[in-house]
Amino acid sequence: RRQKKTSSHAVTELENTKDCSQAEKPLFCLSHPTERLRLFCEQCDQPVCRDCVVDGHRQHPYDFTGNVIHRHGDALRELLKSTQQRMGTLEGVLNQIDDMGSAVRSRTEAVAAEICLFASGYVKVIEEHRDRLLKQLEDLKVQKENLLHLRKAQLQQLLLDMRTGVEFTERLLTSGSDLEILITKGVVASRLAKLNSIAYNTHPNVEDGIQFSPQERAGQCRGYEVFGAILNKVVDPARCALLGEDLHNARQNKLTGFTLLCNDTTGERMGRGGEAVQVTITHKDKRDCAIKPTVCDNGDGTYHISYSPEDPGLYAVCVYVKGQHVKGSPFTLAVKNKFREHQGVFHCCTFCSSGGQKAARCACGGTMPGGYQGCGHGHKGHPGCAHWSCCGQVRESSECLGEPPSNSSQRSLLRTVDL
């Protein structure tokens, strides 16, 4: 209070700060420091002093602050209430987010435990399946080795018998007397003939075609689906078969095809796909004329080969599996001209189908008296049954073999069809 700068300030005890904060403090105008802010300009929405009203707010509506505080305070309280409600809503949303985060963490831990349990069980199943496959492979190896040992022992015994017979015969011919040769030649010749008559396969009767297919379904083990199987079958091109009604015949510009059935060395169906199948179709008379076929693997040991020939004639078809011809390959394919449909009418006679028109003709060549250019029942050239007017064919479901008619006869045939 003794200092000039603070001598006019209001001073109170610290204990009375609450009462002091509630006490009205005079506020002075920034533009007129000596004037207190007692008025409120409605247009500018700000407190003003008396000099401001006279100077810059002369035409503006104004009133004392005590008269307008209730109206502006109520609006501010409404806005405060709305804001407080939104704050409550946001706090509720934040609480929900915290609760959801806790639920996500709990659920994640539970799912992680399920994954670990599933993975550990799956690993055990895979290891068990691996051990089963290895044992199956070992059994298959032992089986093939036993067959090879048996086959080898049989051939070795046959070779030993032949060598013994050859050595005895050579010694007889070189060291034996004439009488000894004549006495024993029957027995020796019978023995050698018997040895020569024994049939044996020049190839081992065991194949090394052991494969592992990781995509092959192996069923279920302890509720888990497992994959991977050992395949022992090997395709034999000489035992494969070509199937199809249109194997040796086709039509120009018509999609056709046949089926290749792959069998193993025992003649049984392979039952799976994946073989290297190649098909070539080349014209026998025209150079650089070939058909590009499409090979579709059905996945069950069968392959569908489809093609559409553009030029008629004879073609050489070659079907290869693993670079070798299959049984029945190569074979000849005859491609006929494009199927021609009938342009006329299948009728009993021209006279009836045209309604008695004299200009209506028929490809059967029949005529009628009285200037009729077409055929009639029982008259000259009538085939005696229903036939096509365009080519004379007597079968309704047949290909038109006649040449296209001239303009005049074509008009007559069209007239017949219209009638």
Side-chain angles (χ1 to χ4, degrees):
R1 290 179 179 177
R2 289 193 297 269
Q3 295 181 3
K4 293 182 179 180
K5 294 182 178 181
T6 59
S7 60
S8 61
H9 292 184
V11 181
T12 182
E13 296 293 336
L14 293 178
E15 290 80 3
N16 301 329
T17 53
K18 293 183 179 181
D19 298 335
C20 181
S21 61
Q22 295 177 356
E24 183 179 358
K25 298 179 181 179
L27 297 177
F28 294 89
C29 180
L30 295 178
S31 301
H32 309 91
T34 59
E35 293 292 330
R36 295 178 60 182
L37 298 173
R38 299 177 180 271
L39 305 174
F40 185 81
C41 179
E42 297 287 351
Q43 181 173 344
C44 298
D45 195 25
Q46 66 179 14
V48 293
C49 65
R50 289 181 301 176
D51 293 345
C52 291
V53 170
V54 176
D55 187 9
H57 302 266
R58 181 175 302 176
Q59 302 296 331
H60 297 177
Y62 63 91
D63 199 351
F64 287 99
T65 57
N67 297 334
V68 300
I69 186 61
H70 299 292
R71 176 162 50 86
H72 290 277
D74 292 342
L76 189 60
R77 277 187 286 273
E78 290 293 331
L79 186 60
L80 175 63
K81 183 178 179 181
S82 176
T83 305
Q84 289 174 344
Q85 291 178 353
R86 292 179 63 86
M87 287 176 58
T89 303
L90 290 176
E91 290 176 353
V93 173
L94 290 175
N95 293 332
Q96 291 180 2
I97 292 176
D98 294 337
D99 295 340
M100 185 57 65
S102 301
V104 168
R105 287 188 292 271
S106 301
R107 186 57 186 164
T108 302
E109 294 175 358
V111 173
E114 292 179 4
I115 293 175
C116 293
L117 182 62
F118 171 81
S120 61
Y122 211 164
V123 169
K124 292 180 180 178
V125 168
I126 292 176
E127 292 177 349
E128 182 178 340
H129 183 54
R130 176 201 61 193
D131 297 339
R132 185 167 57 251
L133 287 176
L134 292 177
K135 185 179 184 304
Q136 182 181 354
L137 181 62
E138 182 66 22
D139 295 341
L140 185 60
K141 184 194 74 169
V142 172
Q143 178 184 358
K144 288 182 177 293
E145 287 180 346
N146 291 337
L147 292 176
L148 289 174
H149 290 324
L150 178 60
R151 182 62 176 167
K152 183 178 180 180
Q154 293 174 349
L155 294 178
Q156 286 178 342
Q157 184 62 43
L158 179 60
L159 180 60
L160 179 60
D161 294 342
M162 288 184 175
R163 183 177 290 113
T164 303
V166 169
E167 292 177 354
F168 180 81
T169 305
E170 290 179 348
R171 187 166 56 252
L172 176 64
L173 294 175
T174 56
S175 303
S177 62
D178 296 341
L179 185 58
E180 291 175 342
I181 294 175
L182 293 175
I183 292 174
T184 59
K185 76 175 185 65
V187 179
V188 174
S190 176
R191 178 60 174 169
L192 293 179
K194 184 178 180 180
L195 292 174
N196 291 332
S197 64
I198 297 177
Y200 58 91
N201 193 356
T202 57
H203 299 282
N205 56 353
V206 177
E207 298 287 345
D208 61 345
I210 303 176
Q211 298 178 358
F212 175 69
S213 177
Q215 295 83 14
E216 195 82 13
R217 292 182 177 272
Q220 289 190 350
C221 180
R222 297 184 182 181
Y224 294 90
E225 186 78 17
V226 292
F227 294 84
I230 297 176
L231 305 178
N232 187 27
K233 292 184 177 182
V234 179
V235 63
D236 187 358
R239 294 183 178 270
C240 296
L242 298 174
L243 308 174
E245 296 180 357
D246 298 331
L247 186 61
H248 299 280
N249 298 286
R251 284 282 182 180
Q252 182 183 6
N253 295 329
K254 182 179 180 182
L255 183 64
T256 185
F258 56 91
T259 301
L260 169 64
L261 176 60
C262 289
N263 298 323
D264 61 1
T265 53
T266 62
E268 295 182 359
R269 185 170 169 178
M270 290 294 295
R272 59 179 174 83
E275 301 296 341
V277 178
Q278 296 179 347
V279 181
T280 60
I281 306 176
T282 56
H283 203 286
K284 287 188 175 183
D285 299 328
K286 296 182 180 180
R287 292 184 178 181
D288 300 331
C289 181
I291 303 174
K292 187 177 181 180
T294 301
V295 180
C296 178
D297 187 352
N298 298 324
D300 57 356
T302 61
Y303 301 81
H304 183 69
I305 295 91
S306 59
Y307 57 92
S308 178
E310 296 181 357
D311 298 329
L314 297 179
Y315 289 81
V317 183
C318 298
V319 182
Y320 304 93
V321 174
K322 293 185 177 180
Q324 301 180 20
H325 282 283
V326 300
K327 184 179 180 181
S329 174
F331 62 91
T332 301
L333 171 67
V335 178
K336 298 181 181 180
N337 290 322
K338 185 178 179 181
F339 186 87
R340 290 188 295 181
E341 296 182 355
H342 294 282
Q343 301 298 323
V345 59
F346 190 72
H347 60 183
C348 58
C349 68
T350 307
F351 180 81
C352 295
S353 61
S354 64
Q357 296 290 326
K358 290 186 176 183
R361 298 176 181 271
C362 184
C364 70
T367 58
M368 288 178 60
Y372 288 92
Q373 300 181 16
C375 60
H377 294 287
H379 293 284
K380 180 181 179 180
H382 190 274
C385 59
H387 56 280
W388 287 99
S389 62
C390 51
C391 62
Q393 287 269 59
V394 296
R395 288 192 304 111
E396 185 174 3
S397 57
S398 61
E399 181 181 4
C400 186
L401 303 178
E403 295 295 331
S406 60
N407 293 335
S408 60
S409 60
Q410 187 175 5
R411 285 195 295 269
S412 301
L413 293 176
L414 291 176
R415 173 67 175 168
T416 302
V417 175
D418 291 340
L419 291 174

